[in-house]
Amino acid sequence: MLILEINVDTGKILEKNYELLVLGIFEEEKYHGVNGIIDKALDKEISQKLKTLEFNPKLRKTCLITTYGKIGIKRILLVGLGKRKDFSLESIRMASSSAINSIQELGITSCTFSILGDKATKISFDQIVENTVVGCELALYQFNLYKTEDQNIKKINKLLFFVYTPETSVIKNSISIAQIIDNGVNLARNLSNMPSSDATPTQIAEKAKIIADESGMTFSVLNKKEMEKFSMGGIINVSKGSNQPPKLVILEHKGGGTARPIVLVGKGITFDSGGISLKPSEKMEDMKHDKAGAATVIGTMQTVAQLKLPLNIIGIVPLTENLPGGSAYKPGDVLKMCNGKTVEVINTDAEGRLILADALAFASRYKPQAVIDLATLTGACVIALGSFATGLLGNDDNLKKRITSGGEITGERVWELPLWDDYKELLKSDIADMKNVGGRPGGVITAASFLSNFVDYPWAHLDIAGTAWTQSNVGVKPYNPKGATGVGVRLITEVLRSWET
Ligand code: BES
Ligand code: MG
Ligand code: ZN
């Protein structure tokens, strides 16, 4: 799944005859390097535009200049980089994706980015390259599997990076790392965007098998029979209202010798109707995205396998529908979970925590050094944090720190909520070890608190309910088109890339 063909070019910029060249411009632009050469050759048109405020190079702003034969390059697209002091990896992704979005509207199929290193900022040349590629490729993602019309829109398929350094092999390495990451994100987006009728637990398991074979991972799957053997009362009961059989997929990347593994767990409710505690119909279609956690784990596994990270990483993905069929589990039922604990079901719509509980308890048999789960777990998280942060809870400060700093680097930011014992009180049941809901107040926390009953290792939980998909393009990052974001793939990949044991 190559999104863009990306090549590197070097030499004298005024000898080039590119269709379009993108130049990044700071608010305090100094016209170094290519920027200065082009400005001069265009009789100061760029610096004049800044002086007269015709172009204000705030982050994400763009301005197109036609060169009318003054130089070989036909058009220049200026893209604002904002203030030098605020320059970050996120600025690079924001600027490159804004540029590519406006170029896409011009209907051309290739363009060149001028990549200027900047000594004043602490960002290295390979980080600039990597994040430019990420911004472009994530912005160009479209989910058009079901579109039979409008297929003749010209799409950008080629990028060229113009650089001064002759060390193009370093740059090519950054490009290929970025492309592996983008493919993982876009795989996760595809799985999440896919309608539930074409992404059943069985179909996702089949897809995961293909991915495992292609990327050199071990694949295994638990069917209902095996789940029964492990006493996985959570996933089995949630699946009872549907005709689709549940699956629990296990992907293993073995790059770390004898080291204990890091386990990723992703909620894979392929459709969440709420079950007998049926959801209202408004926006229920969005509940095809209730498999976003699973999608992210599969996308991340593909990424870490292709990056050949020197770690043992296991992805566990419990998959089932949550439907109100005639055999559905019901409020009042008591379930026996994978670790032997019992749960009284109060609300069948709190199903995610039930399938995760089994998967988390199951993860214990791998003696993991850490476990991270990702789940579109609670509407309460959307209320608490909106769409700009993923909820973070867990029992291990070191692991939470790694995730928080990964969030800063990738722009997939997380915000911690407390996991105090007090909240466990709210889950007390009269007849079982616990209830599956703790009331509306603190809903993100009671959900995580429920999960904490099933872990006996360093663990972090990411509630991606507010970040897994976007409702519109308004207020959204230019590299996240409407629909599934694939959130977590870049975050977890970053955490694992910088993992030190
Ligand atoms: N999948 C939903 C959570 C959700 C809702 C994610 C909206 C994204 C957007 C989850 O299974 C659910 O239904 N949770 C309930 C829990 C409640 C019954 C305690 C919720 O949040 O309402
Ligand atoms: Mg639900
Ligand atoms: Zn759900």
Side-chain angles (χ1 to χ4, degrees), residues 195-257:
S196 65
S197 59
D198 288 334
T200 61
T202 305
Q203 286 167 313
I204 293 183
E206 281 165 1
K207 175 89 182 146
K209 165 95 174 70
I210 295 169
I211 291 161
D213 289 347
E214 285 170 353
S215 308
M217 287 185 279
T218 319
F219 169 92
S220 44
V221 61
L222 304 189
N223 295 309
K224 197 169 167 195
K225 266 223 175 83
E226 287 90 43
M227 292 176 188
E228 275 160 2
K229 239 179 19 215
F230 289 114
S231 172
M232 295 183 163
I235 182 163
I236 291 171
N237 277 281
V238 172
S239 77
K240 275 165 48 183
S242 162
N243 289 335
Q244 295 295 334
K247 301 279 169 189
L248 188 138
V249 166
I250 303 158
L251 296 172
E252 291 183 62
H253 162 68
K254 294 173 181 159

Short mmCIF file of all heavy atoms in Angstrom, two decimals, residues 195-257:
data_model
loop_
_atom_site.label_atom_id
_atom_site.label_comp_id
_atom_site.label_asym_id
_atom_site.label_seq_id
_atom_site.Cartn_x
_atom_site.Cartn_y
_atom_site.Cartn_z
N PRO A 195 -17.67 -0.54 7.14
CA PRO A 195 -18.98 -0.86 7.72
C PRO A 195 -18.94 -2.21 8.43
O PRO A 195 -18.22 -3.11 8.00
CB PRO A 195 -19.90 -0.93 6.50
CG PRO A 195 -19.19 -0.28 5.39
CD PRO A 195 -17.73 -0.36 5.69
N SER A 196 -19.75 -2.36 9.46
CA SER A 196 -19.69 -3.58 10.26
C SER A 196 -20.08 -4.81 9.45
O SER A 196 -19.64 -5.92 9.76
CB SER A 196 -20.58 -3.45 11.49
OG SER A 196 -21.93 -3.35 11.10
N SER A 197 -20.87 -4.62 8.40
CA SER A 197 -21.30 -5.77 7.61
C SER A 197 -20.13 -6.36 6.81
O SER A 197 -20.17 -7.53 6.43
CB SER A 197 -22.41 -5.36 6.64
OG SER A 197 -21.94 -4.33 5.80
N ASP A 198 -19.12 -5.56 6.55
CA ASP A 198 -17.94 -6.05 5.83
C ASP A 198 -16.72 -6.17 6.73
O ASP A 198 -15.60 -6.38 6.24
CB ASP A 198 -17.62 -5.13 4.65
CG ASP A 198 -18.65 -5.26 3.53
OD1 ASP A 198 -19.27 -6.34 3.42
OD2 ASP A 198 -18.82 -4.29 2.77
N ALA A 199 -16.90 -5.96 8.00
CA ALA A 199 -15.78 -6.09 8.94
C ALA A 199 -16.29 -6.83 10.16
O ALA A 199 -16.28 -6.32 11.28
CB ALA A 199 -15.23 -4.72 9.32
N THR A 200 -16.75 -8.04 9.94
CA THR A 200 -17.21 -8.88 11.05
C THR A 200 -15.98 -9.40 11.80
O THR A 200 -14.86 -9.33 11.27
CB THR A 200 -18.00 -10.08 10.51
OG1 THR A 200 -17.12 -10.85 9.68
CG2 THR A 200 -19.21 -9.62 9.68
N PRO A 201 -16.17 -9.93 12.98
CA PRO A 201 -15.03 -10.52 13.69
C PRO A 201 -14.27 -11.51 12.82
O PRO A 201 -13.03 -11.49 12.78
CB PRO A 201 -15.69 -11.20 14.90
CG PRO A 201 -16.89 -10.36 15.17
CD PRO A 201 -17.40 -9.93 13.82
N THR A 202 -14.99 -12.35 12.09
CA THR A 202 -14.34 -13.34 11.22
C THR A 202 -13.54 -12.66 10.13
O THR A 202 -12.38 -13.03 9.85
CB THR A 202 -15.41 -14.26 10.58
OG1 THR A 202 -16.19 -14.82 11.65
CG2 THR A 202 -14.78 -15.36 9.75
N GLN A 203 -14.12 -11.65 9.50
CA GLN A 203 -13.40 -10.96 8.41
C GLN A 203 -12.18 -10.21 8.92
O GLN A 203 -11.14 -10.18 8.26
CB GLN A 203 -14.36 -10.00 7.68
CG GLN A 203 -15.34 -10.75 6.79
CD GLN A 203 -16.48 -9.86 6.32
OE1 GLN A 203 -17.08 -9.12 7.12
NE2 GLN A 203 -16.79 -9.90 5.04
N ILE A 204 -12.28 -9.60 10.10
CA ILE A 204 -11.12 -8.89 10.65
C ILE A 204 -10.02 -9.89 11.01
O ILE A 204 -8.83 -9.66 10.76
CB ILE A 204 -11.51 -8.01 11.85
CG1 ILE A 204 -12.40 -6.87 11.37
CG2 ILE A 204 -10.27 -7.46 12.56
CD1 ILE A 204 -12.82 -5.89 12.42
N ALA A 205 -10.43 -11.04 11.55
CA ALA A 205 -9.43 -12.07 11.87
C ALA A 205 -8.72 -12.54 10.59
O ALA A 205 -7.50 -12.72 10.58
CB ALA A 205 -10.10 -13.24 12.58
N GLU A 206 -9.48 -12.72 9.52
CA GLU A 206 -8.87 -13.14 8.24
C GLU A 206 -7.87 -12.10 7.74
O GLU A 206 -6.78 -12.41 7.29
CB GLU A 206 -9.95 -13.36 7.17
CG GLU A 206 -10.68 -14.69 7.33
CD GLU A 206 -11.98 -14.77 6.53
OE1 GLU A 206 -12.33 -13.78 5.83
OE2 GLU A 206 -12.65 -15.81 6.65
N LYS A 207 -8.28 -10.85 7.85
CA LYS A 207 -7.42 -9.75 7.42
C LYS A 207 -6.13 -9.71 8.27
O LYS A 207 -5.02 -9.52 7.74
CB LYS A 207 -8.21 -8.43 7.55
CG LYS A 207 -7.45 -7.18 7.27
CD LYS A 207 -7.50 -6.79 5.80
CE LYS A 207 -6.67 -5.54 5.57
NZ LYS A 207 -6.00 -5.45 4.33
N ALA A 208 -6.30 -9.92 9.57
CA ALA A 208 -5.14 -9.91 10.47
C ALA A 208 -4.17 -11.03 10.12
O ALA A 208 -2.95 -10.87 10.21
CB ALA A 208 -5.60 -10.02 11.92
N LYS A 209 -4.72 -12.15 9.70
CA LYS A 209 -3.88 -13.30 9.29
C LYS A 209 -3.02 -12.92 8.08
O LYS A 209 -1.82 -13.19 8.03
CB LYS A 209 -4.78 -14.49 8.97
CG LYS A 209 -4.13 -15.63 8.20
CD LYS A 209 -3.64 -16.71 9.16
CE LYS A 209 -3.11 -17.96 8.47
NZ LYS A 209 -1.83 -17.76 7.76
N ILE A 210 -3.65 -12.26 7.11
CA ILE A 210 -2.91 -11.83 5.91
C ILE A 210 -1.80 -10.85 6.30
O ILE A 210 -0.66 -10.97 5.85
CB ILE A 210 -3.88 -11.18 4.89
CG1 ILE A 210 -4.89 -12.23 4.40
CG2 ILE A 210 -3.13 -10.56 3.73
CD1 ILE A 210 -6.05 -11.66 3.60
N ILE A 211 -2.15 -9.90 7.17
CA ILE A 211 -1.16 -8.90 7.60
C ILE A 211 0.01 -9.58 8.32
O ILE A 211 1.18 -9.25 8.10
CB ILE A 211 -1.83 -7.85 8.50
CG1 ILE A 211 -2.79 -6.99 7.66
CG2 ILE A 211 -0.80 -6.96 9.21
CD1 ILE A 211 -3.82 -6.26 8.47
N ALA A 212 -0.33 -10.54 9.17
CA ALA A 212 0.71 -11.27 9.92
C ALA A 212 1.65 -11.99 8.95
O ALA A 212 2.88 -11.91 9.07
CB ALA A 212 0.08 -12.26 10.88
N ASP A 213 1.07 -12.67 7.96
CA ASP A 213 1.89 -13.39 6.97
C ASP A 213 2.80 -12.44 6.20
O ASP A 213 3.98 -12.71 6.00
CB ASP A 213 0.99 -14.16 6.00
CG ASP A 213 0.33 -15.36 6.67
OD1 ASP A 213 0.77 -15.72 7.79
OD2 ASP A 213 -0.64 -15.91 6.10
N GLU A 214 2.23 -11.30 5.79
CA GLU A 214 3.00 -10.35 4.99
C GLU A 214 4.13 -9.70 5.79
O GLU A 214 5.16 -9.34 5.25
CB GLU A 214 2.09 -9.24 4.45
CG GLU A 214 1.21 -9.69 3.31
CD GLU A 214 0.15 -8.65 2.96
OE1 GLU A 214 0.02 -7.63 3.70
OE2 GLU A 214 -0.55 -8.86 1.96
N SER A 215 3.90 -9.50 7.10
CA SER A 215 4.87 -8.73 7.89
C SER A 215 5.72 -9.60 8.80
O SER A 215 6.45 -9.07 9.64
CB SER A 215 4.15 -7.66 8.72
OG SER A 215 3.32 -6.88 7.92
N GLY A 216 5.60 -10.93 8.67
CA GLY A 216 6.45 -11.82 9.46
C GLY A 216 6.06 -11.91 10.92
O GLY A 216 6.93 -12.02 11.79
N MET A 217 4.75 -11.86 11.20
CA MET A 217 4.30 -12.03 12.58
C MET A 217 3.65 -13.40 12.74
O MET A 217 3.18 -13.99 11.78
CB MET A 217 3.27 -10.97 12.94
CG MET A 217 3.83 -9.58 13.11
SD MET A 217 2.56 -8.43 13.67
CE MET A 217 1.71 -8.04 12.15
N THR A 218 3.60 -13.85 14.01
CA THR A 218 2.86 -15.07 14.30
C THR A 218 1.40 -14.70 14.49
O THR A 218 1.08 -13.68 15.10
CB THR A 218 3.37 -15.71 15.61
OG1 THR A 218 4.77 -15.61 15.62
CG2 THR A 218 2.95 -17.16 15.72
N PHE A 219 0.51 -15.53 13.94
CA PHE A 219 -0.92 -15.27 14.06
C PHE A 219 -1.58 -16.45 14.76
O PHE A 219 -1.28 -17.59 14.44
CB PHE A 219 -1.52 -15.13 12.66
CG PHE A 219 -3.03 -15.13 12.64
CD1 PHE A 219 -3.74 -13.95 12.72
CD2 PHE A 219 -3.73 -16.34 12.54
CE1 PHE A 219 -5.13 -13.96 12.70
CE2 PHE A 219 -5.12 -16.35 12.52
CZ PHE A 219 -5.82 -15.16 12.60
N SER A 220 -2.43 -16.15 15.74
CA SER A 220 -3.30 -17.23 16.22
C SER A 220 -4.65 -16.62 16.57
O SER A 220 -4.79 -15.40 16.72
CB SER A 220 -2.68 -17.96 17.41
OG SER A 220 -2.13 -17.05 18.32
N VAL A 221 -5.65 -17.49 16.65
CA VAL A 221 -6.99 -16.99 16.94
C VAL A 221 -7.71 -17.95 17.87
O VAL A 221 -7.56 -19.17 17.76
CB VAL A 221 -7.80 -16.76 15.63
CG1 VAL A 221 -7.97 -18.06 14.85
CG2 VAL A 221 -9.16 -16.12 15.91
N LEU A 222 -8.41 -17.39 18.86
CA LEU A 222 -9.27 -18.21 19.71
C LEU A 222 -10.69 -18.11 19.19
O LEU A 222 -11.22 -17.01 18.99
CB LEU A 222 -9.25 -17.71 21.16
CG LEU A 222 -7.91 -17.58 21.89
CD1 LEU A 222 -8.16 -17.29 23.38
CD2 LEU A 222 -7.06 -18.82 21.74
N ASN A 223 -11.29 -19.26 18.92
CA ASN A 223 -12.71 -19.30 18.58
C ASN A 223 -13.50 -19.50 19.87
O ASN A 223 -12.92 -19.67 20.95
CB ASN A 223 -12.96 -20.44 17.60
CG ASN A 223 -12.26 -20.17 16.28
OD1 ASN A 223 -12.40 -19.09 15.70
ND2 ASN A 223 -11.46 -21.12 15.83
N LYS A 224 -14.83 -19.52 19.71
CA LYS A 224 -15.69 -19.60 20.90
C LYS A 224 -15.33 -20.80 21.79
O LYS A 224 -15.32 -20.68 23.01
CB LYS A 224 -17.15 -19.69 20.46
CG LYS A 224 -18.11 -19.36 21.57
CD LYS A 224 -19.52 -19.19 21.07
CE LYS A 224 -20.49 -19.18 22.22
NZ LYS A 224 -21.87 -19.38 21.76
N LYS A 225 -15.01 -21.92 21.14
CA LYS A 225 -14.67 -23.15 21.91
C LYS A 225 -13.49 -22.91 22.84
O LYS A 225 -13.51 -23.28 24.02
CB LYS A 225 -14.32 -24.28 20.93
CG LYS A 225 -15.47 -25.18 20.58
CD LYS A 225 -15.02 -26.66 20.59
CE LYS A 225 -16.22 -27.57 20.37
NZ LYS A 225 -16.53 -27.69 18.92
N GLU A 226 -12.41 -22.31 22.27
CA GLU A 226 -11.22 -22.03 23.09
C GLU A 226 -11.55 -21.00 24.18
O GLU A 226 -11.05 -21.08 25.29
CB GLU A 226 -10.07 -21.51 22.23
CG GLU A 226 -9.39 -22.55 21.33
CD GLU A 226 -10.02 -22.66 19.96
OE1 GLU A 226 -10.34 -21.61 19.36
OE2 GLU A 226 -10.22 -23.78 19.49
N MET A 227 -12.39 -20.03 23.80
CA MET A 227 -12.77 -19.02 24.79
C MET A 227 -13.47 -19.68 25.98
O MET A 227 -13.26 -19.31 27.13
CB MET A 227 -13.72 -18.00 24.16
CG MET A 227 -13.06 -17.12 23.11
SD MET A 227 -14.29 -16.04 22.37
CE MET A 227 -13.34 -15.33 21.04
N GLU A 228 -14.29 -20.67 25.67
CA GLU A 228 -14.99 -21.38 26.74
C GLU A 228 -13.98 -22.09 27.65
O GLU A 228 -14.12 -22.07 28.87
CB GLU A 228 -15.99 -22.39 26.15
CG GLU A 228 -17.31 -21.71 25.83
CD GLU A 228 -18.18 -22.46 24.82
OE1 GLU A 228 -17.77 -23.57 24.37
OE2 GLU A 228 -19.24 -21.92 24.47
N LYS A 229 -12.95 -22.65 27.02
CA LYS A 229 -11.92 -23.34 27.81
C LYS A 229 -11.24 -22.38 28.78
O LYS A 229 -10.91 -22.73 29.90
CB LYS A 229 -10.87 -23.93 26.84
CG LYS A 229 -10.76 -25.41 26.97
CD LYS A 229 -9.77 -26.12 26.05
CE LYS A 229 -8.68 -25.35 25.38
NZ LYS A 229 -8.38 -25.86 24.03
N PHE A 230 -11.05 -21.14 28.32
CA PHE A 230 -10.41 -20.13 29.18
C PHE A 230 -11.42 -19.40 30.05
O PHE A 230 -11.09 -18.42 30.69
CB PHE A 230 -9.63 -19.12 28.32
CG PHE A 230 -8.38 -19.68 27.70
CD1 PHE A 230 -8.27 -19.82 26.33
CD2 PHE A 230 -7.31 -20.06 28.49
CE1 PHE A 230 -7.12 -20.33 25.75
CE2 PHE A 230 -6.15 -20.58 27.92
CZ PHE A 230 -6.05 -20.72 26.55
N SER A 231 -12.66 -19.83 30.02
CA SER A 231 -13.73 -19.22 30.82
C SER A 231 -13.86 -17.71 30.56
O SER A 231 -13.96 -16.91 31.49
CB SER A 231 -13.46 -19.49 32.31
OG SER A 231 -14.35 -18.79 33.11
N MET A 232 -13.86 -17.35 29.27
CA MET A 232 -13.96 -15.93 28.91
C MET A 232 -15.42 -15.49 28.85
O MET A 232 -15.98 -15.22 27.78
CB MET A 232 -13.27 -15.69 27.57
CG MET A 232 -11.77 -15.92 27.62
SD MET A 232 -11.02 -15.52 26.04
CE MET A 232 -9.30 -15.39 26.50
N GLY A 233 -16.03 -15.41 30.02
CA GLY A 233 -17.46 -15.10 30.08
C GLY A 233 -17.80 -13.71 29.57
O GLY A 233 -18.95 -13.45 29.19
N GLY A 234 -16.83 -12.80 29.54
CA GLY A 234 -17.10 -11.45 29.04
C GLY A 234 -17.39 -11.47 27.55
O GLY A 234 -18.49 -11.17 27.10
N ILE A 235 -16.41 -11.88 26.78
CA ILE A 235 -16.57 -11.83 25.31
C ILE A 235 -17.64 -12.80 24.84
O ILE A 235 -18.45 -12.49 23.95
CB ILE A 235 -15.21 -12.03 24.58
CG1 ILE A 235 -15.41 -11.93 23.06
CG2 ILE A 235 -14.52 -13.32 24.96
CD1 ILE A 235 -14.14 -11.72 22.28
N ILE A 236 -17.72 -13.98 25.47
CA ILE A 236 -18.73 -14.96 25.04
C ILE A 236 -20.14 -14.38 25.24
O ILE A 236 -20.98 -14.45 24.34
CB ILE A 236 -18.58 -16.29 25.83
CG1 ILE A 236 -17.28 -16.99 25.42
CG2 ILE A 236 -19.78 -17.20 25.60
CD1 ILE A 236 -16.92 -18.18 26.28
N ASN A 237 -20.39 -13.80 26.39
CA ASN A 237 -21.74 -13.28 26.65
C ASN A 237 -22.08 -12.08 25.78
O ASN A 237 -23.20 -11.96 25.30
CB ASN A 237 -21.91 -12.97 28.13
CG ASN A 237 -22.28 -14.22 28.89
OD1 ASN A 237 -23.44 -14.65 28.88
ND2 ASN A 237 -21.30 -14.85 29.51
N VAL A 238 -21.12 -11.20 25.57
CA VAL A 238 -21.40 -10.04 24.70
C VAL A 238 -21.76 -10.53 23.30
O VAL A 238 -22.63 -9.95 22.63
CB VAL A 238 -20.19 -9.07 24.66
CG1 VAL A 238 -20.41 -7.98 23.62
CG2 VAL A 238 -19.95 -8.44 26.03
N SER A 239 -21.16 -11.60 22.87
CA SER A 239 -21.38 -12.07 21.49
C SER A 239 -22.74 -12.77 21.31
O SER A 239 -23.16 -13.02 20.18
CB SER A 239 -20.26 -13.02 21.06
OG SER A 239 -20.44 -14.30 21.64
N LYS A 240 -23.41 -13.11 22.40
CA LYS A 240 -24.58 -13.99 22.30
C LYS A 240 -25.77 -13.39 21.53
O LYS A 240 -26.58 -14.13 20.98
CB LYS A 240 -25.02 -14.44 23.69
CG LYS A 240 -24.24 -15.67 24.16
CD LYS A 240 -24.33 -15.99 25.65
CE LYS A 240 -25.73 -15.97 26.21
NZ LYS A 240 -25.73 -16.21 27.66
N GLY A 241 -25.85 -12.07 21.49
CA GLY A 241 -26.97 -11.44 20.79
C GLY A 241 -26.78 -11.35 19.29
O GLY A 241 -27.63 -10.83 18.57
N SER A 242 -25.65 -11.84 18.79
CA SER A 242 -25.32 -11.71 17.37
C SER A 242 -25.17 -13.08 16.73
O SER A 242 -24.81 -14.05 17.41
CB SER A 242 -24.00 -10.93 17.23
OG SER A 242 -23.44 -11.12 15.95
N ASN A 243 -25.41 -13.14 15.42
CA ASN A 243 -25.17 -14.39 14.70
C ASN A 243 -23.69 -14.56 14.36
O ASN A 243 -23.27 -15.63 13.94
CB ASN A 243 -25.97 -14.44 13.40
CG ASN A 243 -27.45 -14.61 13.70
OD1 ASN A 243 -27.83 -15.14 14.75
ND2 ASN A 243 -28.29 -14.14 12.79
N GLN A 244 -22.93 -13.49 14.46
CA GLN A 244 -21.51 -13.56 14.12
C GLN A 244 -20.72 -14.16 15.28
O GLN A 244 -20.82 -13.67 16.40
CB GLN A 244 -20.96 -12.16 13.83
CG GLN A 244 -21.55 -11.49 12.60
CD GLN A 244 -21.19 -12.23 11.32
OE1 GLN A 244 -20.18 -12.92 11.24
NE2 GLN A 244 -22.05 -12.10 10.32
N PRO A 245 -19.92 -15.17 15.03
CA PRO A 245 -19.13 -15.75 16.12
C PRO A 245 -18.01 -14.80 16.56
O PRO A 245 -17.44 -14.09 15.73
CB PRO A 245 -18.55 -17.02 15.52
CG PRO A 245 -18.59 -16.81 14.04
CD PRO A 245 -19.73 -15.88 13.76
N PRO A 246 -17.69 -14.78 17.85
CA PRO A 246 -16.60 -13.92 18.34
C PRO A 246 -15.24 -14.53 17.98
O PRO A 246 -15.13 -15.73 17.74
CB PRO A 246 -16.79 -13.96 19.85
CG PRO A 246 -17.39 -15.31 20.12
CD PRO A 246 -18.28 -15.61 18.94
N LYS A 247 -14.25 -13.68 17.95
CA LYS A 247 -12.87 -14.13 17.68
C LYS A 247 -11.95 -13.37 18.62
O LYS A 247 -12.21 -12.20 18.94
CB LYS A 247 -12.44 -13.78 16.24
CG LYS A 247 -13.31 -14.37 15.16
CD LYS A 247 -12.96 -15.80 14.88
CE LYS A 247 -14.01 -16.43 13.98
NZ LYS A 247 -13.85 -17.87 13.84
N LEU A 248 -10.87 -14.01 19.02
CA LEU A 248 -9.83 -13.28 19.75
C LEU A 248 -8.52 -13.53 19.03
O LEU A 248 -8.02 -14.65 18.99
CB LEU A 248 -9.77 -13.73 21.21
CG LEU A 248 -8.84 -12.88 22.09
CD1 LEU A 248 -9.46 -12.60 23.45
CD2 LEU A 248 -7.49 -13.54 22.26
N VAL A 249 -8.04 -12.46 18.38
CA VAL A 249 -6.86 -12.58 17.53
C VAL A 249 -5.60 -12.23 18.33
O VAL A 249 -5.61 -11.30 19.15
CB VAL A 249 -6.99 -11.62 16.31
CG1 VAL A 249 -5.66 -11.46 15.59
CG2 VAL A 249 -8.06 -12.13 15.36
N ILE A 250 -4.55 -13.00 18.10
CA ILE A 250 -3.27 -12.73 18.77
C ILE A 250 -2.18 -12.61 17.71
O ILE A 250 -1.96 -13.54 16.93
CB ILE A 250 -2.91 -13.88 19.75
CG1 ILE A 250 -4.05 -14.06 20.77
CG2 ILE A 250 -1.59 -13.59 20.47
CD1 ILE A 250 -4.08 -15.42 21.42
N LEU A 251 -1.55 -11.45 17.66
CA LEU A 251 -0.45 -11.22 16.72
C LEU A 251 0.83 -11.09 17.54
O LEU A 251 0.85 -10.39 18.56
CB LEU A 251 -0.68 -9.93 15.93
CG LEU A 251 -1.89 -9.90 15.00
CD1 LEU A 251 -2.08 -8.49 14.44
CD2 LEU A 251 -1.74 -10.90 13.88
N GLU A 252 1.90 -11.74 17.09
CA GLU A 252 3.15 -11.66 17.84
C GLU A 252 4.31 -11.23 16.95
O GLU A 252 4.56 -11.85 15.92
CB GLU A 252 3.49 -13.02 18.47
CG GLU A 252 2.52 -13.40 19.58
CD GLU A 252 2.91 -14.71 20.26
OE1 GLU A 252 4.02 -14.76 20.85
OE2 GLU A 252 2.11 -15.64 20.20
N HIS A 253 4.97 -10.17 17.38
CA HIS A 253 6.21 -9.75 16.73
C HIS A 253 7.36 -10.14 17.65
O HIS A 253 7.41 -9.69 18.79
CB HIS A 253 6.20 -8.24 16.48
CG HIS A 253 7.56 -7.68 16.21
ND1 HIS A 253 8.26 -7.96 15.06
CD2 HIS A 253 8.36 -6.87 16.96
CE1 HIS A 253 9.43 -7.34 15.11
NE2 HIS A 253 9.52 -6.68 16.25
N LYS A 254 8.25 -10.98 17.15
CA LYS A 254 9.34 -11.47 18.00
C LYS A 254 10.66 -10.86 17.55
O LYS A 254 11.32 -11.38 16.66
CB LYS A 254 9.40 -13.00 17.93
CG LYS A 254 8.16 -13.64 18.55
CD LYS A 254 8.12 -15.13 18.34
CE LYS A 254 6.84 -15.70 18.95
NZ LYS A 254 6.47 -17.00 18.39
N GLY A 255 11.01 -9.74 18.15
CA GLY A 255 12.26 -9.08 17.77
C GLY A 255 13.17 -8.88 18.96
O GLY A 255 14.23 -8.28 18.86
N GLY A 256 12.73 -9.39 20.14
CA GLY A 256 13.44 -9.04 21.37
C GLY A 256 14.08 -10.20 22.10
O GLY A 256 14.29 -10.13 23.31
N GLY A 257 14.39 -11.28 21.39
CA GLY A 257 15.06 -12.42 22.02
C GLY A 257 14.24 -12.98 23.17
O GLY A 257 13.07 -13.31 23.00
#
